[in-house]
């Protein structure tokens, strides 16, 4: 393993701590009784408190020092006086351990009492200091100059998403997004629970990937020797529970779709689905707008949310536009009664890429997605989808070519999908068979036939309305984040392709440059002479280059040659 200079130094400090009899990773409980926030909110002069966190800054001033430690709720200043933490003659804890062996990023515990500095800073005067965990890698802490300008901030998106644990430490404001995410889930649960609906869990590994049109992830069950699929949706299992007698069930489900990744799609995502017996999609529209108004208030304290250049208001009621009218408004084309070929030709004339595997539903979906979807900024219900687009939806009561379905659009993106659920088992079987025909034409997102679900419907399902909400996308809108990766703790990432670059000091770079000019090898004495470094700097640079695996000393008789390693 190649280590940077800082990593080498920290490992040396680790060894020195052990030599002093200090366990750098103690197992015993540390009796924290206050967070930094609690210290400030309940501050009293002379109050004794015990806090713990990461050392984030230190200003050593001889026999006394100021430092900042960061815990889960913020930072607090600590004053450390040598004679107070080392009341006896032995001053090793301050002179050696704190000043030389504890680094920024290390976890430390402080026991002491509160006081206010001359400049009014609420501060903890340390009476006892404990090392709780030694860090072996330096944090990429930003630097601030005298004018307040920030340099070397940890802002590279790939590094932030890949090392979220570092991101949360050095960019603590990132945590606010995830606090709001939890508030959203809690608010939604409260809204449902107050209405008497029941939270459930359904299988993630499924024998048939049902409930949506999407490409699944496939795995294999060794004991049963059968293929299994990661859940693409939980819809069909929740409907089975309505068949079983529940009036209202909901689930926050992890779903998996083996499709592309971009700023609004992650192959693993969180959806909420709820099904309520004896309701229809008109009731569900009102339910949805009231739900989202409530959630926005709980998360942000207001129904308004800023997303990019837009201000979105989640206050009910929301506009309602039919799918047919939306397409007619933005393209001038009326999809009513059109054949598959007419739709295909219309899509082509609009410059939309289509192919022969696409049926009527897919073609209409492409037209709407390309030409209409992005125009709906304020929350808008798009209603009454064509039958071919909605294989699990009840036929519209007034038009047999349409279904009782809506999607909720916000800022040009769909965040919710809902139906009057199809509960006619014969009609449902025919819809599944139509999907099978599309699959045979090459549509790899067509639905499977779920015979067990059909059997459940044959036992009878009451009139039901269901709603699905993309939780990741919703929290994006509520926190003004245009990228889904910003609202997932650990988004899916491509494998790391490049090794972490070694940061070399100027002396190390100079030695390498000399070796490169000498055909990658030079007598040790001559190399030292050309480098012109003092003994201490020479020894430090050569040790670091050797640790990095960049140089090697070859002994040949009395001759010592330094070789540059590729």
């Amino acid at each position: 393993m190649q280590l940077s200079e800082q990593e080498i130094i920290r490992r040396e400090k680790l060894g020195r701590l052990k030599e002093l009899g200090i366990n750098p990773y103690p197992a015993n409980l540390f009796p924290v009784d206050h967070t930094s926030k609690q210290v400030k909110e309940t501050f009293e002069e002379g109050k004794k408190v015990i806090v713990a966190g990461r050392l984030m800054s230190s200003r050593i001033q001889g026999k006394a020092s100021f430092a900042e430690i960061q815990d889960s709720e913020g930072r607090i200043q600590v004053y450390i006086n040598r004679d107070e933490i080392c009341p006896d003659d032995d001053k090793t804890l301050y002179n050696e351990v704190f000043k030389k062996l504890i680094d920024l990023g290390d976890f430390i515990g402080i026991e002491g009492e509160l006081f206010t500095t001359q400049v009014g800073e609420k501060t903890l005067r340390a009476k006892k200091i404990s090392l709780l965990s030694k860090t072996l890698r330096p944090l990429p802490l930003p630097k601030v100059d005298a004018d307040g300008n920030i340099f070397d901030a940890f802002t590279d998106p790939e590094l932030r998403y890949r090392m979220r644990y570092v991101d949360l430490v050095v960019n603590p404001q990132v945590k606010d997004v995830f606090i709001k995410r939890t508030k959203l889930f809690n608010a939604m649960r409260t809204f449902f629970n107050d209405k008497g609906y029941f939270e459930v869990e359904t299988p993630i590994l499924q024998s048939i990937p049902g409930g949506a049109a999407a490409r699944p992830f496939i795995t294999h069950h060794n004991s049963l020797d059968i293929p299994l699929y990661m859940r693409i949706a939980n819809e069909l299992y929740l409907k089975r529970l309505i068949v079983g007698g529940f009036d209202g069930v909901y689930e926050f489900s992890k779903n998996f779709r083996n499709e592309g990744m971009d700023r609004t799609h992650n192959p693993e995502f969180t959806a909420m689905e709820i099904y309520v017996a004896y309701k229809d999609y008109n009731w569900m529209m009102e339910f949805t707008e009231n739900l989202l108004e409530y959630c926005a208030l709980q998360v942000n304290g207001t129904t308004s949310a800023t997303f990019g250049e837009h201000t979105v208001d989640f206050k009910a009621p929301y506009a309602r536009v039919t799918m047919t009218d939306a397409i007619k408004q933005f393209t001038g084309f009326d999809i009513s009664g059109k054949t598959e070929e007419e739709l295909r030709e219309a899509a082509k004339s609009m410059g939309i890429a289509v192919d022969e595997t696409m049926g009527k539903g897919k073609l209409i979906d492409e037209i709407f997605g390309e030409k209409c979807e992005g125009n709906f900024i304020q929350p808008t219900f798009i209603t009454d989808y064509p039958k071919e687009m909605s294989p699990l939806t009840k036929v519209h009561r007034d038009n047999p070519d349409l279904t009782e379905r809506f999607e909720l659009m916000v800022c040009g993106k769909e965040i919710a999908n809902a139906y009057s659920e199809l509960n006619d088992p014969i009609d449902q079987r025919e819809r599944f068979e139509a999907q099978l025909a599309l699959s045979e034409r090459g549509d790899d997102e067509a639905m499977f036939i779920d015979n067990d679900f059909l059997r459940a419907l044959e036992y009878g399902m009451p009139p039901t309305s269901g709603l699905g909400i993309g939780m990741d996308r919703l929290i994006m809108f509520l926190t003004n984040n245009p990228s889904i990766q910003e609202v997932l703790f650990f988004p899916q990432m491509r494998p790391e392709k490049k090794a972490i670059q070694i940061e070399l000091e100027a002396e190390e770079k100079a030695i390498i440059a000399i070796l490169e000019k000498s055909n990658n090898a030079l007598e040790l004495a001559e190399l030292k002479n050309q480098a012109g470094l003092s003994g201490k700097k020479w020894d430090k640079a050569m040790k670091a280059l050797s640790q990095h695996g960049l140089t090697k000393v070859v002994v040949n008789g009395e001759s010592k040659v330094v070789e540059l390693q590729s």
Side-chain angles (χ1 to χ4, degrees), residues 167-423:
D167 186 32
L168 290 165
V169 175
V170 301
N171 297 317
Q173 71 279 4
V174 169
K175 189 182 293 184
D176 294 340
V177 172
F178 296 98
I179 291 172
K180 287 187 173 183
R181 182 183 175 105
T182 295
K183 285 183 177 180
L184 173 62
F185 280 73
N186 290 342
M188 206 169 276
R189 278 193 173 95
T190 298
F191 190 88
F192 296 152
N193 293 343
D194 286 350
K195 295 183 181 302
Y197 303 140
F198 193 64
E199 184 171 8
V200 299
E201 293 180 304
T202 61
I204 292 176
L205 287 175
Q206 302 180 353
S207 58
I208 292 175
R215 183 183 301 137
F217 286 94
I218 303 174
T219 186
H220 186 82
H221 193 294
N222 290 336
S223 179
L224 296 177
D225 193 25
I226 59 171
L228 288 175
Y229 302 88
M230 301 290 285
R231 173 171 62 196
I232 60 172
N234 55 349
E235 175 170 343
L236 302 188
Y237 282 94
L238 293 175
K239 288 181 185 177
R240 286 171 169 91
L241 297 179
I242 298 295
V243 171
F246 286 95
D247 281 345
V249 293
Y250 70 94
E251 180 180 18
F252 294 97
S253 68
K254 280 289 187 182
N255 295 344
F256 307 84
R257 298 184 182 179
N258 198 356
E259 298 167 349
M261 297 187 299
D262 58 32
R263 290 170 67 82
T264 59
H265 294 87
N266 195 66
E268 175 185 352
F269 63 97
T270 304
M272 185 290 305
E273 294 205 22
I274 183 169
Y275 293 82
V276 184
Y278 311 112
K279 309 299 184 186
D280 67 3
Y281 82 136
N282 292 311
W283 177 90
M284 187 60 81
M285 271 187 266
E286 184 176 346
F287 179 85
T288 301
E289 59 196 6
N290 289 332
L291 167 67
L292 295 184
E293 178 181 331
Y294 174 82
C295 288
L297 284 168
Q298 295 302 307
V299 171
N300 287 330
T302 174
T303 60
S304 294
T306 300
F307 188 73
E309 62 184 7
H310 303 297
T311 299
V312 178
D313 194 347
F314 285 96
K315 184 173 180 57
Y318 304 159
R320 290 149 167 78
V321 180
T322 68
M323 167 72 77
T324 301
D325 287 346
I327 292 176
K328 192 184 300 182
Q329 177 184 351
F330 293 108
T331 71
F333 180 70
D334 188 350
I335 62 173
S336 303
K338 294 298 189 292
T339 65
E340 180 181 308
E341 195 52 42
E342 287 172 324
L343 290 167
R344 184 174 286 105
E345 289 305 313
K348 289 179 180 178
S349 71
M350 298 175 198
I352 299 171
V354 296
D355 58 53
E356 296 304 315
T357 70
M358 295 180 177
K360 289 179 67 174
K362 200 77 173 284
L363 292 166
I364 294 170
D365 194 28
E366 288 294 317
I367 293 171
F368 178 78
E370 288 286 331
K371 300 298 181 180
C372 309
E373 192 173 80
N375 295 296
F376 296 101
I377 304 303
Q378 295 303 318
T380 304
F381 292 117
I382 305 299
T383 69
D384 301 348
Y385 281 52
K387 185 176 179 180
E388 294 81 5
M389 293 182 67
S390 312
L392 299 170
T393 311
K394 188 169 286 189
V395 171
H396 198 284
R397 66 196 74 178
D398 299 322
N399 185 338
D401 293 330
L402 303 177
T403 58
E404 297 199 346
R405 174 186 178 186
F406 71 78
E407 288 186 317
L408 178 61
M409 300 292 164
V410 178
C411 289
K413 297 293 181 182
E414 174 238 328
I415 63 169
N417 187 19
Y419 315 147
S420 292
E421 300 296 335
L422 180 56
N423 61 343

Side-chain angles (χ1 to χ4, degrees), residues 77-92:
Q77 179 170 272
V78 179
Y79 172 71
I80 303 170
N81 182 284
R82 185 191 68 181
D83 296 329
E84 292 195 58
I85 67 169
C86 304
D88 300 325
D89 293 337
D90 185 357
K91 308 298 182 183
T92 303

